[in-house]
């Protein structure tokens, strides 16, 4: 079937695939300011953004633990999602289903049975096109959950490794808070590693765009599910 949608530019493809991939890994420059303005999200209203900013937790922590305080590459952002807290949290923590709503996630495998919890590990892959300092490759990402509180927060970390590209460590924290009309989702992530730190501004921008795309996809998926659940039989 043909499509009338415009083809993404090479830069868009590179940024989206690489940054969402590394963002989910929870792995890696001069730090981005904590008051840094986030790129606009197409399905997020100004009211959503304002309400999220008014309620976000600073600093981001889960059970008292946050991102890497020494990392030079970092980004944080917020969004308000008009859906039940249980729906939003379930989507984010059902990692095996990430490929169904995050296109850059090519494959996903839990490395232990049962519900996601402290100590859980999962491995997944995503393409990473070439950049000025790294080759095109497929990243193999292994993430370990360090803190999790049901319907409240999750924190994980881990490396991302591909041929010619390695991200040593990344730490990713998500918090979920009930607010008027929905759920405020706050996310913050840090990256460390020689290759990504070779170009800190580019890496920071890439991380930010990846997290904004993730929030947008989470918002769209949760709100669509909520509308479907509320339809009369």
């Amino acid at each position: 079937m043909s499509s009338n949608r415009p083809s993404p530019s090479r830069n868009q493809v590179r940024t989206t695939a690489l940054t969402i991939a590394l963002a989910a890994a929870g792995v890696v420059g001069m730090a981005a300011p904590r008051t840094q303005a986030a790129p606009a999200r197409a399905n997020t209203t100004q009211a959503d953004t304002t309400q999220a900013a008014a309620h976000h937790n600073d600093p981001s922590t889960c059970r008292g633990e946050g991102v890497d305080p020494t990392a030079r590459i970092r980004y944080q952002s917020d969004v308000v999602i008009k859906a039940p807290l249980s729906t939003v949290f379930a989507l984010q923590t059902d990692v095996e289903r990430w490929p169904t709503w995050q296109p850059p996630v090519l494959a996903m495998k839990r490395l232990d049975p049962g519900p996601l919890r402290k100590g859980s590990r999962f491995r997944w892959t995503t393409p990473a096109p070439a950049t000025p300092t790294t080759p095109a490759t497929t990243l193999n990402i292994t993430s370990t959950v360090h803190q999790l509180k049901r319907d409240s927060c999750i924190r994980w970390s881990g490396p991302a490794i591909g041929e010619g590209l390695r991200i040593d460590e990344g730490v990713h924290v998500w918090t979920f808070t009930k607010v008027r009309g929905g759920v405020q989702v706050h996310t913050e992530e840090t990256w460390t590693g020689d290759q990504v730190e070779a170009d800190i501004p580019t890496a920071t921008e890439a991380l930010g765009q990846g997290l904004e795309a993730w929030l947008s996809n989470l918002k769209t998926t949760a709100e669509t599910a909520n509308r479907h659940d509320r339809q009369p039989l």
Side-chain angles (χ1 to χ4, degrees):
M1 180 180 294
S2 63
S3 172
N4 293 324
R5 294 174 61 186
S7 300
S9 68
R10 181 179 179 182
N11 286 340
Q12 288 173 322
V13 172
R14 182 180 67 192
T15 298
T16 300
L18 177 60
T19 59
I20 293 181
L22 303 184
V27 281
V28 192
M30 203 163 43
R34 298 188 64 82
T35 56
Q36 172 181 10
R41 290 184 287 269
N43 64 334
T44 303
T45 67
Q46 183 62 43
D48 290 337
T49 303
T50 301
Q51 185 177 357
H55 289 87
H56 82 267
N57 298 322
D58 189 10
S60 308
T61 62
C62 183
R63 294 190 177 274
E65 298 293 332
V67 295
D68 185 344
T70 67
R72 301 171 64 205
I73 300 170
R74 64 182 60 237
Y75 190 89
Q76 66 173 333
S77 191
D78 303 78
V79 71
V80 170
I81 300 178
K82 297 177 176 66
L85 176 57
S86 58
T87 297
V88 179
F89 190 80
L91 273 172
Q92 181 66 5
T93 56
D94 188 358
V95 298
E96 290 176 291
R97 294 191 62 196
W98 280 359
T100 68
W101 57 274
Q102 294 200 67
V105 180
L106 302 180
M108 168 67 73
K109 182 180 180 180
R110 281 286 307 274
L111 301 180
D112 40 57
L116 203 69
R117 61 193 182 278
K118 182 177 180 178
S120 292
R121 299 170 69 242
F122 50 96
R123 181 174 296 132
W124 53 285
T125 62
T126 190
T131 72
T133 58
T134 59
T137 188
T138 296
L139 288 170
N140 293 282
I141 303 164
T142 303
S143 298
T144 301
V145 177
H146 298 288
Q147 281 80 28
L148 185 149
K149 184 176 181 181
R150 183 177 178 85
D151 292 340
S152 177
C153 64
I154 184 170
R155 175 181 177 268
W156 68 72
S157 70
I161 302 171
E163 186 175 352
L165 174 61
R166 177 185 177 91
I167 299 175
D168 294 341
E169 183 71 15
V171 184
H172 201 167
V173 176
W174 294 79
T175 62
F176 307 82
T177 307
K178 283 186 178 181
V179 296
R180 180 169 53 86
V183 179
Q184 178 257 328
V185 179
H186 179 74
T187 185
E188 184 171 6
E189 183 168 2
T190 54
W191 290 350
T192 56
D194 289 344
Q195 287 182 307
V196 288
E197 290 174 8
D199 188 346
I200 292 168
T202 297
T204 302
E205 180 181 3
L207 172 59
Q209 291 187 8
L211 290 182
E212 295 298 339
W214 194 334
L215 285 171
S216 180
N217 287 331
L218 180 62
K219 178 179 173 69
T220 297
T221 305
E223 291 184 350
T224 298
N226 186 43
R227 287 194 296 270
H228 177 76
D229 291 343
R230 295 173 63 181
Q231 287 180 355
L233 298 177

